[in-house]
Amino acid sequence: MQALGFEVLWKGKNFARLMGGLWVALRISLIAVGISLVAGVLMGALMTRKNPVVKALTRLYLETVRIMPQMVLLFLAFFGTTRWFGWNLSGETASVIVFALWGTAEMGDLVRGALESIPRHQYESAAALGLDGKQSFLYVILPQTLRRLLPQVINLVTRMIKTTSLVLMIGVVEMLKVAQQIIEANRMKVPNAAFGVYLTVLVLYFLACWPVSLLAKALEKRWS
Amino acid sequence: MGRELLRIEHLHKEFEGKTVLDDLSLTLREGEVAVIVGPSGCGKSTLLRCVNALEPVQGGSIFLDGEEIHADPRKLPQLRQKVGMVFQSYELFPHKSILDNITLAPRMVQKRGREDAEAEALALLERVGLADRAKDYPRQLSGGQKQRVAIVRSLIMHPALMLFDEVTAALDPEMVREVLDVLLDLAKQGRTMLIVTHEMQFARAVADRILFLDDGGIVEEGRPLDFFDHPKTERAQRFLNTFTFETVKE
């Protein structure tokens, strides 16, 4: 496998560093996903409110976050907060904030759509049984919503994991950054290392996202 | 017949400026079965939906057991426990098993224990011939079976009044009977019921009183035999005639 330069992975602590980079990426995405799933449900519930002020504010938030490229958001959170507020956020903290804001907006919109797709009669039959608004949401509407959401949520989660490859732009040393460092360090002796290293990165991203898909399949089977 | 359970006074209801129910008054006594018939769009279903406040009203009042229903939204969950409602489209909860569909409200709203609620649910299912389907999910049942489950789901809350909103309208003809038999059984038990239906033979059999609704008001009311055999108003006669056919062959 000389040609693809896999051997650079076994030099020194290179492979361990790559795995460390993967862990950084996963840590950022998992924390952000955790926040997004919970906040997104609340956000989605808010977005179905009839109050025009609430509607306008949530809409503004969603569109702002969705229209701006994640890279711009990262720069704003990392450099912008320092410049405007004098905050000194670490790259990782800024990344988690940006990913959580983004995930909450996207998740909120997914939840809104799913909530609105539940027939009005389901709310009514719950109400007719004497369930109050909270009980009806928790036991009747939300479980059905989550089942409908599952495929889109999995899509969002894997997108969030993969998009962590952007955080190297604000100095976070995650998997892709480590890969670049390894390739650069071996530029002269193993010029082909880019192939082997990036191929490994590809496989590692796949291994990170695949279990999420498997989990989704298992849940879908159980719920159908 | 017992004491007065439901009293509707001068009910006025409109949708976007269009009057649906106009100055409608009605009382129902405990143990009484009243069947509402009338042409489609006459406000039958709306009337039922107003009784447990699924629709806001623009005038008049509805009293259940002396308590005004539309007075305080916070009291609604409490009041609705006294009113069971069964819908045309069953509206079982698709993510829950039959047993969980039935026991959800008694456990969460009335805080009854799981064992207690499940025992009663099974007994009621037995009564409608569905005890063996307790573990199944709604999508595994036929329309008639789903509707029987929906009736059980209401009954387990021990409502003082049951509302049935065209409960057989979505069913294939051969399933209509199994659902109507359950309703007849309930009537025999002395339940208080307000039924909207298009099944005239059934209405005649089950009702203590027929209410003929047209244009948002009660045009005629009376005992079923009087109403069906000797309708007094011209509108009721015309309505009843739509259910009979002249023979076209010698």
Side-chain angles (χ1 to χ4, degrees):
Chain A
M1 294 297 271
Q2 178 75 34
L4 292 181
F6 278 113
E7 71 271 17
V8 297
L9 289 172
W10 310 114
K11 278 193 195 164
K13 288 185 183 149
N14 278 357
F15 193 71
R17 285 181 54 220
L18 201 62
M19 294 306 282
L22 177 62
W23 172 234
V24 171
L26 284 181
R27 199 163 55 199
I28 292 172
S29 42
L30 291 183
I31 295 173
V33 163
I35 297 171
S36 304
L37 292 186
V38 177
V41 170
L42 296 176
M43 180 79 188
L46 268 184
M47 289 173 86
T48 56
R49 286 292 167 94
K50 293 202 174 63
N51 185 328
V53 180
V54 174
K55 254 190 165 159
L57 286 177
T58 50
R59 198 80 218 163
L60 180 73
Y61 165 61
L62 169 69
E63 295 302 344
T64 312
V65 172
R66 198 158 51 181
I67 286 166
M68 270 205 251
Q70 276 82 44
M71 186 108 76
V72 175
L73 288 173
L74 283 171
F75 283 157
L76 288 177
F78 189 60
F79 299 115
T81 53
T82 313
R83 198 177 166 126
W84 300 320
F85 311 119
W87 296 351
N88 188 18
L89 298 179
S90 74
E92 199 173 324
T93 310
S95 307
V96 169
I97 292 174
V98 166
F99 277 72
L101 284 174
W102 170 44
T104 301
E106 296 255 352
M107 179 72 185
D109 202 37
L110 294 179
V111 171
R112 180 197 56 77
L115 281 177
E116 283 170 358
S117 75
I118 305 281
R120 185 177 53 111
H121 274 105
Q122 285 283 307
Y123 291 87
E124 289 182 347
S125 66
L129 286 169
L131 275 74
D132 62 30
K134 206 176 89 197
Q135 289 168 329
S136 154
F137 185 73
L138 273 182
Y139 303 124
V140 177
I141 305 303
L142 192 60
Q144 295 186 55
T145 308
L146 295 182
R147 279 165 173 76
R148 286 178 193 214
L149 271 180
L150 192 64
Q152 293 119 295
V153 169
I154 294 313
N155 181 19
L156 176 63
V157 170
T158 51
R159 257 196 306 147
M160 284 172 78
I161 294 176
K162 287 181 290 189
T163 311
T164 52
S165 54
L166 285 181
V167 302
L168 63 89
M169 299 300 293
I170 56 171
V172 179
V173 184
E174 48 63 76
M175 180 160 61
L176 208 60
K177 186 73 197 171
V178 177
Q180 289 176 353
Q181 289 170 348
I182 295 173
I183 294 163
E184 286 305 316
N186 294 283
R187 178 68 81 200
M188 302 316 248
K189 278 183 240 154
V190 193
N192 277 349
F195 293 108
V197 174
Y198 280 139
L199 206 61
T200 311
V201 168
L202 176 89
V203 171
L204 289 175
Y205 270 127
F206 175 76
L207 289 179
C209 295
W210 194 37
V212 182
S213 301
L214 287 183
L215 177 72
K217 262 198 202 112
L219 280 178
E220 242 171 302
K221 206 168 175 186
R222 216 179 104 191
W223 284 348
S224 72
Chain B
M1 274 196 210
R3 65 206 168 82
E4 183 182 288
L5 184 66
L6 175 75
R7 190 167 83 248
I8 301 176
E9 286 179 347
H10 309 294
L11 184 66
H12 183 79
K13 163 78 193 166
E14 44 187 72
F15 281 119
E16 291 154 5
K18 188 175 165 283
T19 299
V20 183
L21 296 172
D22 187 21
D23 193 26
L24 188 146
S25 297
L26 157 74
T27 56
L28 197 64
R29 298 189 165 279
E30 216 165 47
E32 196 177 7
V33 178
V35 174
I36 306 170
V37 299
S40 35
C42 70
K44 307 183 295 277
S45 294
T46 308
L47 175 59
L48 282 200
R49 292 165 57 79
C50 289
V51 169
N52 68 355
L54 288 177
E55 296 285 347
V57 300
Q58 281 73 42
S61 22
I62 302 176
F63 298 91
L64 181 75
D65 232 353
E67 269 195 274
E68 188 172 0
I69 285 196
H70 289 266
D72 183 359
R74 280 167 303 174
K75 275 194 177 165
L76 268 182
Q78 190 65 33
L79 276 167
R80 278 176 177 151
Q81 291 179 48
K82 296 190 193 168
V83 185
M85 179 152 185
V86 184
F87 298 83
Q88 178 178 331
S89 47
Y90 343 119
E91 295 306 329
L92 298 180
F93 306 133
H95 61 294
K96 289 190 177 296
S97 70
I98 299 308
L99 195 59
D100 289 343
N101 258 281
I102 300 169
T103 56
L104 176 71
R107 289 179 55 209
M108 297 305 159
V109 179
Q110 297 177 332
K111 312 290 178 205
R112 289 167 64 184
R114 174 191 280 271
E115 270 177 43
D116 171 41
E118 288 189 348
E120 189 180 353
L122 286 171
L124 287 168
L125 278 175
E126 180 81 56
R127 186 144 191 161
V128 299
L130 290 172
D132 54 330
R133 309 307 297 267
K135 294 270 176 275
D136 289 341
Y137 281 80
R139 65 176 178 285
Q140 294 166 284
L141 270 56
S142 72
Q145 291 171 329
K146 279 189 239 188
Q147 198 55 293
R148 283 183 279 161
V149 171
I151 294 170
V152 166
R153 187 174 66 170
S154 284
L155 284 178
I156 199 169
M157 299 297 281
H158 305 287
L161 167 68
M162 288 287 286
L163 309 172
F164 294 92
D165 187 7
E166 300 196 28
V167 291
T168 58
L171 297 177
D172 290 337
E174 69 266 31
M175 289 172 188
V176 169
R177 185 64 198 231
E178 64 188 51
V179 173
L180 294 184
D181 280 342
V182 173
L183 266 60
L184 285 167
D185 187 42
L186 293 177
K188 266 187 232 153
Q189 292 170 31
R191 300 232 174 221
T192 318
M193 307 200 275
L194 201 51
I195 302 173
V196 168
T197 185
H198 286 294
E199 302 285 339
M200 294 303 143
Q201 294 299 322
F202 166 71
R204 184 195 278 256
V206 79
D208 294 310
R209 186 152 54 116
I210 300 283
L211 304 164
F212 174 62
L213 219 67
D214 197 5
D215 273 341
I218 296 172
V219 175
E220 183 169 340
E221 66 173 290
R223 292 184 305 150
L225 291 183
D226 296 335
F227 175 78
F228 285 110
D229 295 339
H230 310 287
K232 292 193 286 279
T233 59
E234 193 259 332
R235 276 198 274 179
Q237 286 164 11
R238 229 180 325 136
F239 172 71
L240 289 172
N241 275 337
T242 60
F243 293 92
T244 53
F245 294 91
E246 301 282 334
T247 306
V248 291
K249 292 191 176 144
E250 292 301 316

CSV table of all heavy atoms in Angstrom, one decimal, chain B residues 48-84:
chain,number,residue,atom,x,y,z
B,48,LEU,N,-72.9,19.2,19.1
B,48,LEU,CA,-72.2,18.2,19.9
B,48,LEU,C,-70.9,18.8,20.4
B,48,LEU,O,-70.5,18.7,21.5
B,48,LEU,CB,-71.9,16.9,19.2
B,48,LEU,CG,-73.1,15.9,19.1
B,48,LEU,CD1,-72.5,14.5,18.8
B,48,LEU,CD2,-74.0,15.9,20.3
B,49,ARG,N,-70.1,19.4,19.4
B,49,ARG,CA,-68.8,19.9,19.7
B,49,ARG,C,-68.9,21.1,20.7
B,49,ARG,O,-67.9,21.3,21.4
B,49,ARG,CB,-68.1,20.3,18.4
B,49,ARG,CG,-67.8,19.0,17.5
B,49,ARG,CD,-67.4,19.4,16.1
B,49,ARG,NE,-66.3,20.4,16.1
B,49,ARG,CZ,-65.0,20.0,16.3
B,49,ARG,NH1,-64.7,18.7,16.4
B,49,ARG,NH2,-64.0,20.9,16.3
B,50,CYS,N,-70.0,21.8,20.6
B,50,CYS,CA,-70.1,22.9,21.6
B,50,CYS,C,-70.3,22.4,23.0
B,50,CYS,O,-69.9,23.0,24.0
B,50,CYS,CB,-71.3,23.8,21.2
B,50,CYS,SG,-71.0,24.8,19.7
B,51,VAL,N,-71.0,21.2,23.1
B,51,VAL,CA,-71.3,20.7,24.4
B,51,VAL,C,-70.1,20.3,25.2
B,51,VAL,O,-70.1,20.5,26.4
B,51,VAL,CB,-72.3,19.5,24.3
B,51,VAL,CG1,-72.4,18.7,25.6
B,51,VAL,CG2,-73.6,19.9,23.8
B,52,ASN,N,-69.0,19.9,24.6
B,52,ASN,CA,-67.8,19.7,25.4
B,52,ASN,C,-66.7,20.8,25.0
B,52,ASN,O,-65.5,20.5,25.2
B,52,ASN,CB,-67.3,18.3,25.5
B,52,ASN,CG,-66.7,17.8,24.2
B,52,ASN,OD1,-66.8,18.5,23.2
B,52,ASN,ND2,-66.1,16.7,24.2
B,53,ALA,N,-67.2,21.9,24.5
B,53,ALA,CA,-66.3,23.1,24.3
B,53,ALA,C,-65.2,22.8,23.4
B,53,ALA,O,-64.1,23.4,23.5
B,53,ALA,CB,-65.8,23.6,25.7
B,54,LEU,N,-65.4,22.0,22.4
B,54,LEU,CA,-64.4,21.9,21.4
B,54,LEU,C,-64.6,23.0,20.4
B,54,LEU,O,-63.7,23.3,19.6
B,54,LEU,CB,-64.5,20.5,20.6
B,54,LEU,CG,-64.1,19.3,21.4
B,54,LEU,CD1,-64.3,18.0,20.5
B,54,LEU,CD2,-62.6,19.4,21.7
B,55,GLU,N,-65.7,23.7,20.5
B,55,GLU,CA,-66.0,24.9,19.7
B,55,GLU,C,-66.3,26.0,20.6
B,55,GLU,O,-67.1,25.8,21.6
B,55,GLU,CB,-67.2,24.7,18.7
B,55,GLU,CG,-67.0,23.6,17.7
B,55,GLU,CD,-66.1,24.1,16.5
B,55,GLU,OE1,-65.8,25.3,16.4
B,55,GLU,OE2,-65.7,23.2,15.8
B,56,PRO,N,-65.8,27.2,20.4
B,56,PRO,CA,-66.2,28.4,21.2
B,56,PRO,C,-67.6,28.7,20.7
B,56,PRO,O,-68.0,28.5,19.6
B,56,PRO,CB,-65.2,29.4,20.8
B,56,PRO,CG,-64.7,29.0,19.5
B,56,PRO,CD,-64.8,27.5,19.4
B,57,VAL,N,-68.4,29.3,21.6
B,57,VAL,CA,-69.7,29.8,21.3
B,57,VAL,C,-69.8,31.3,21.3
B,57,VAL,O,-69.0,31.9,22.1
B,57,VAL,CB,-70.8,29.1,22.1
B,57,VAL,CG1,-70.8,27.6,22.0
B,57,VAL,CG2,-70.7,29.6,23.6
B,58,GLN,N,-70.7,31.9,20.6
B,58,GLN,CA,-70.8,33.3,20.5
B,58,GLN,C,-72.0,33.9,21.4
B,58,GLN,O,-72.1,35.1,21.5
B,58,GLN,CB,-71.0,33.8,19.1
B,58,GLN,CG,-69.6,33.9,18.3
B,58,GLN,CD,-69.1,32.5,17.9
B,58,GLN,OE1,-69.9,31.6,17.5
B,58,GLN,NE2,-67.8,32.2,18.1
B,59,GLY,N,-72.8,32.9,21.9
B,59,GLY,CA,-73.9,33.4,22.7
B,59,GLY,C,-74.6,32.3,23.4
B,59,GLY,O,-74.5,31.1,23.0
B,60,GLY,N,-75.3,32.6,24.5
B,60,GLY,CA,-76.0,31.5,25.2
B,60,GLY,C,-75.1,30.8,26.1
B,60,GLY,O,-73.9,31.1,26.3
B,61,SER,N,-75.7,29.8,26.8
B,61,SER,CA,-74.9,29.0,27.8
B,61,SER,C,-75.2,27.5,27.8
B,61,SER,O,-76.4,27.2,27.4
B,61,SER,CB,-75.0,29.6,29.2
B,61,SER,OG,-76.2,30.3,29.3
B,62,ILE,N,-74.3,26.7,28.2
B,62,ILE,CA,-74.5,25.3,28.3
B,62,ILE,C,-74.1,24.9,29.7
B,62,ILE,O,-73.0,25.2,30.2
B,62,ILE,CB,-73.6,24.5,27.3
B,62,ILE,CG1,-73.9,25.0,25.9
B,62,ILE,CG2,-73.8,23.0,27.4
B,62,ILE,CD1,-73.0,24.4,24.8
B,63,PHE,N,-75.1,24.2,30.4
B,63,PHE,CA,-74.8,23.8,31.8
B,63,PHE,C,-74.8,22.3,31.8
B,63,PHE,O,-75.7,21.6,31.3
B,63,PHE,CB,-75.9,24.3,32.7
B,63,PHE,CG,-76.0,25.8,32.8
B,63,PHE,CD1,-76.9,26.5,31.9
B,63,PHE,CD2,-75.3,26.5,33.7
B,63,PHE,CE1,-76.9,27.9,32.0
B,63,PHE,CE2,-75.3,27.9,33.8
B,63,PHE,CZ,-76.2,28.6,32.9
B,64,LEU,N,-73.7,21.7,32.4
B,64,LEU,CA,-73.7,20.3,32.7
B,64,LEU,C,-73.8,20.1,34.2
B,64,LEU,O,-72.9,20.6,34.9
B,64,LEU,CB,-72.4,19.7,32.1
B,64,LEU,CG,-72.3,18.2,32.3
B,64,LEU,CD1,-73.1,17.5,31.3
B,64,LEU,CD2,-70.8,17.8,32.1
B,65,ASP,N,-74.8,19.5,34.6
B,65,ASP,CA,-75.0,19.2,36.0
B,65,ASP,C,-74.9,20.6,36.8
B,65,ASP,O,-74.3,20.7,37.9
B,65,ASP,CB,-73.8,18.3,36.5
B,65,ASP,CG,-74.3,17.2,37.3
B,65,ASP,OD1,-75.6,17.1,37.6
B,65,ASP,OD2,-73.6,16.3,37.6
B,66,GLY,N,-75.5,21.6,36.2
B,66,GLY,CA,-75.5,22.9,36.9
B,66,GLY,C,-74.3,23.8,36.7
B,66,GLY,O,-74.3,24.9,37.0
B,67,GLU,N,-73.2,23.2,36.1
B,67,GLU,CA,-72.0,24.0,35.9
B,67,GLU,C,-71.9,24.5,34.5
B,67,GLU,O,-72.0,23.7,33.5
B,67,GLU,CB,-70.7,23.2,36.2
B,67,GLU,CG,-70.3,23.3,37.7
B,67,GLU,CD,-68.9,22.7,37.9
B,67,GLU,OE1,-68.8,21.5,38.1
B,67,GLU,OE2,-68.0,23.5,37.8
B,68,GLU,N,-71.6,25.8,34.3
B,68,GLU,CA,-71.5,26.3,33.0
B,68,GLU,C,-70.2,25.9,32.3
B,68,GLU,O,-69.1,26.1,32.8
B,68,GLU,CB,-71.6,27.8,33.0
B,68,GLU,CG,-71.8,28.3,31.5
B,68,GLU,CD,-72.1,29.8,31.4
B,68,GLU,OE1,-72.2,30.4,32.5
B,68,GLU,OE2,-72.2,30.2,30.3
B,69,ILE,N,-70.3,25.3,31.1
B,69,ILE,CA,-69.2,24.7,30.4
B,69,ILE,C,-68.2,25.7,29.9
B,69,ILE,O,-67.0,25.6,30.0
B,69,ILE,CB,-69.7,23.7,29.3
B,69,ILE,CG1,-70.2,22.5,30.0
B,69,ILE,CG2,-68.5,23.4,28.4
B,69,ILE,CD1,-70.4,21.3,29.1
B,70,HIS,N,-68.7,26.8,29.3
B,70,HIS,CA,-67.8,27.7,28.6
B,70,HIS,C,-67.3,28.8,29.5
B,70,HIS,O,-66.7,29.8,29.1
B,70,HIS,CB,-68.5,28.3,27.4
B,70,HIS,CG,-68.7,27.3,26.3
B,70,HIS,ND1,-67.8,27.2,25.2
B,70,HIS,CD2,-69.6,26.4,26.0
B,70,HIS,CE1,-68.2,26.3,24.4
B,70,HIS,NE2,-69.3,25.7,24.9
B,71,ALA,N,-67.6,28.7,30.8
B,71,ALA,CA,-67.3,29.8,31.7
B,71,ALA,C,-65.8,30.0,32.0
B,71,ALA,O,-65.3,31.1,31.9
B,71,ALA,CB,-68.1,29.7,33.0
B,72,ASP,N,-65.1,28.9,32.2
B,72,ASP,CA,-63.7,29.0,32.7
B,72,ASP,C,-62.9,27.9,32.0
B,72,ASP,O,-63.0,26.7,32.3
B,72,ASP,CB,-63.7,28.8,34.2
B,72,ASP,CG,-62.3,28.9,34.7
B,72,ASP,OD1,-61.4,29.1,33.9
B,72,ASP,OD2,-62.1,28.8,36.0
B,73,PRO,N,-62.0,28.3,31.1
B,73,PRO,CA,-61.2,27.3,30.3
B,73,PRO,C,-60.4,26.4,31.2
B,73,PRO,O,-60.1,25.2,30.9
B,73,PRO,CB,-60.3,28.2,29.4
B,73,PRO,CG,-60.9,29.5,29.5
B,73,PRO,CD,-61.7,29.7,30.7
B,74,ARG,N,-60.0,26.9,32.4
B,74,ARG,CA,-59.2,26.1,33.3
B,74,ARG,C,-59.9,24.9,33.9
B,74,ARG,O,-59.4,23.9,34.3
B,74,ARG,CB,-58.6,26.9,34.4
B,74,ARG,CG,-57.4,27.8,34.0
B,74,ARG,CD,-57.1,28.8,35.0
B,74,ARG,NE,-58.3,29.6,35.3
B,74,ARG,CZ,-58.3,30.5,36.3
B,74,ARG,NH1,-57.3,30.7,37.1
B,74,ARG,NH2,-59.4,31.2,36.4
B,75,LYS,N,-61.3,25.0,33.9
B,75,LYS,CA,-62.1,23.9,34.4
B,75,LYS,C,-62.4,22.9,33.4
B,75,LYS,O,-63.0,21.9,33.7
B,75,LYS,CB,-63.4,24.5,35.0
B,75,LYS,CG,-63.2,25.0,36.4
B,75,LYS,CD,-64.6,25.2,37.0
B,75,LYS,CE,-64.6,25.7,38.4
B,75,LYS,NZ,-66.0,26.2,38.8
B,76,LEU,N,-62.1,23.2,32.1
B,76,LEU,CA,-62.5,22.3,31.0
B,76,LEU,C,-62.1,20.9,31.2
B,76,LEU,O,-62.9,19.9,31.1
B,76,LEU,CB,-62.0,22.9,29.7
B,76,LEU,CG,-63.0,23.8,29.0
B,76,LEU,CD1,-62.4,24.2,27.7
B,76,LEU,CD2,-64.3,23.0,28.8
B,77,PRO,N,-60.8,20.6,31.5
B,77,PRO,CA,-60.4,19.2,31.6
B,77,PRO,C,-61.2,18.4,32.6
B,77,PRO,O,-61.6,17.3,32.4
B,77,PRO,CB,-58.9,19.3,32.0
B,77,PRO,CG,-58.4,20.5,31.5
B,77,PRO,CD,-59.6,21.5,31.6
B,78,GLN,N,-61.6,19.1,33.7
B,78,GLN,CA,-62.4,18.6,34.8
B,78,GLN,C,-63.8,18.3,34.2
B,78,GLN,O,-64.3,17.2,34.4
B,78,GLN,CB,-62.5,19.6,35.9
B,78,GLN,CG,-63.1,19.1,37.2
B,78,GLN,CD,-62.3,18.0,37.8
B,78,GLN,OE1,-61.0,18.1,37.7
B,78,GLN,NE2,-62.9,17.1,38.4
B,79,LEU,N,-64.4,19.2,33.5
B,79,LEU,CA,-65.7,19.1,33.0
B,79,LEU,C,-65.8,18.0,31.9
B,79,LEU,O,-66.8,17.2,31.8
B,79,LEU,CB,-66.3,20.4,32.5
B,79,LEU,CG,-66.9,21.3,33.5
B,79,LEU,CD1,-67.1,22.7,33.0
B,79,LEU,CD2,-68.2,20.8,34.0
B,80,ARG,N,-64.7,18.0,31.1
B,80,ARG,CA,-64.8,17.1,30.0
B,80,ARG,C,-64.7,15.6,30.4
B,80,ARG,O,-65.1,14.7,29.7
B,80,ARG,CB,-63.6,17.4,29.0
B,80,ARG,CG,-63.9,18.5,28.1
B,80,ARG,CD,-62.7,18.8,27.3
B,80,ARG,NE,-63.0,19.9,26.3
B,80,ARG,CZ,-62.1,20.7,25.9
B,80,ARG,NH1,-60.8,20.6,26.3
B,80,ARG,NH2,-62.3,21.6,25.0
B,81,GLN,N,-64.2,15.4,31.6
B,81,GLN,CA,-64.2,14.0,32.1
B,81,GLN,C,-65.6,13.5,32.3
B,81,GLN,O,-65.9,12.3,32.3
B,81,GLN,CB,-63.5,13.9,33.5
B,81,GLN,CG,-62.0,14.2,33.4
B,81,GLN,CD,-61.4,14.1,34.7
B,81,GLN,OE1,-61.6,13.2,35.5
B,81,GLN,NE2,-60.5,15.1,35.0
B,82,LYS,N,-66.6,14.4,32.5
B,82,LYS,CA,-67.9,14.0,32.7
B,82,LYS,C,-68.7,13.8,31.3
B,82,LYS,O,-69.8,13.4,31.3
B,82,LYS,CB,-68.7,15.1,33.5
B,82,LYS,CG,-68.2,15.3,34.8
B,82,LYS,CD,-69.2,16.2,35.6
B,82,LYS,CE,-68.6,16.7,36.9
B,82,LYS,NZ,-69.4,17.8,37.4
B,83,VAL,N,-68.0,14.2,30.2
B,83,VAL,CA,-68.6,14.1,28.9
B,83,VAL,C,-67.7,13.2,28.0
B,83,VAL,O,-66.6,13.5,27.7
B,83,VAL,CB,-68.8,15.4,28.3
B,83,VAL,CG1,-69.5,15.3,26.9
B,83,VAL,CG2,-69.5,16.4,29.2
B,84,GLY,N,-68.2,12.0,27.7
B,84,GLY,CA,-67.5,11.2,26.7
B,84,GLY,C,-67.9,11.5,25.3
B,84,GLY,O,-69.0,11.8,25.0
